[in-house]
Amino acid sequence: QQHEVTNEEYERFDPGGSGCPGEPRQPVVCVTWYDAMAYAAWLGGTLPTEAQWEFAARAEEGKEYPWGDEDPSCELAVYRGCGSAGPDTVMSRPDGATPEGVHDLAGNVWEWVSGWYADAYDPADLADPRGSPNGSSRVLRGGSFNRDPDFLRGAFRLSYRPGFDGGLLGFRVAWPGGQ
């Protein structure tokens, strides 16, 4: 998906249900991993794997950030110190998008991905890792509006239990074949 799922998009799926109040074009937050998976399935997609998410954020070159190797600035991403007490409107930092036009992969809100958290990939799966087949925590990527720039690197990972629905957690949808 070009950007994180917005409040207005999510409301069509769950009118007045899950999610914290927010502006229509801000990313939906306060959704569990289960909520995110249900929404993605409703659209005919899924959450991206860690490998898909990281490839979108870093490309084949292994860039540090979606825009390249330049250090973060408030013109490129929404993070602590940029004057935002919450998520900003999706696609509000166009200079921080990837060359392919994918927005908000660094900052704004943490994004659930499909995998279970593990310390490392199985070496046999390095070409297209699917991650651990089980666990107790799910992976989040991308950093958020209340974190320092170090958390915005495309390779940075965080984990939470899948039932957690904090105000920093959102998601985007992936479709088979890259629709």
Side-chain angles (χ1 to χ4, degrees):
Q1 189 170 4
Q2 187 179 19
H3 56 76
E4 299 146 330
V5 173
T6 65
N7 287 305
E8 67 185 351
E9 292 168 333
Y10 193 81
E11 191 172 313
R12 289 191 286 265
F13 165 71
D14 188 6
S18 299
C20 292
E23 296 298 318
R25 295 291 299 155
Q26 288 177 336
V28 65
V29 293
C30 299
V31 291
T32 68
W33 179 88
Y34 302 108
D35 296 332
M37 284 294 285
Y39 175 86
W42 180 70
L43 285 180
T46 188
L47 295 179
T49 66
E50 268 201 273
Q52 289 168 332
W53 192 97
E54 189 166 333
F55 184 79
R58 301 185 72 202
E60 288 183 47
E61 303 85 43
K63 302 176 293 186
E64 280 293 309
Y65 305 99
W67 55 83
D69 293 328
E70 176 187 339
D71 287 341
S73 70
C74 295
E75 289 74 40
L76 297 170
V78 180
Y79 59 91
R80 181 183 290 157
C82 291
S84 183
D88 205 345
T89 303
V90 298
M91 300 172 61
S92 64
R93 305 295 195 278
D95 291 341
T98 68
E100 297 76 24
V102 182
H103 293 258
D104 304 315
L105 287 164
N108 220 15
V109 297
W110 288 104
E111 297 182 23
W112 289 113
V113 296
S114 63
W116 290 105
Y117 183 82
D119 288 335
Y121 296 128
D122 181 336
D125 291 337
L126 289 181
D128 187 17
R130 295 288 172 188
S132 177
N134 54 44
S136 60
S137 296
R138 295 287 184 171
V139 178
L140 292 149
R141 303 297 294 259
S144 75
F145 64 87
N146 79 332
R147 295 293 185 164
D148 294 325
D150 292 345
F151 292 85
L152 305 182
R153 291 181 315 103
F156 192 88
R157 311 163 69 227
L158 188 68
S159 67
Y160 274 103
R161 295 198 177 272
F164 185 75
D165 63 356
L168 310 172
L169 311 181
F171 66 100
R172 71 181 67 225
V173 177
W175 287 273
Q179 296 177 340

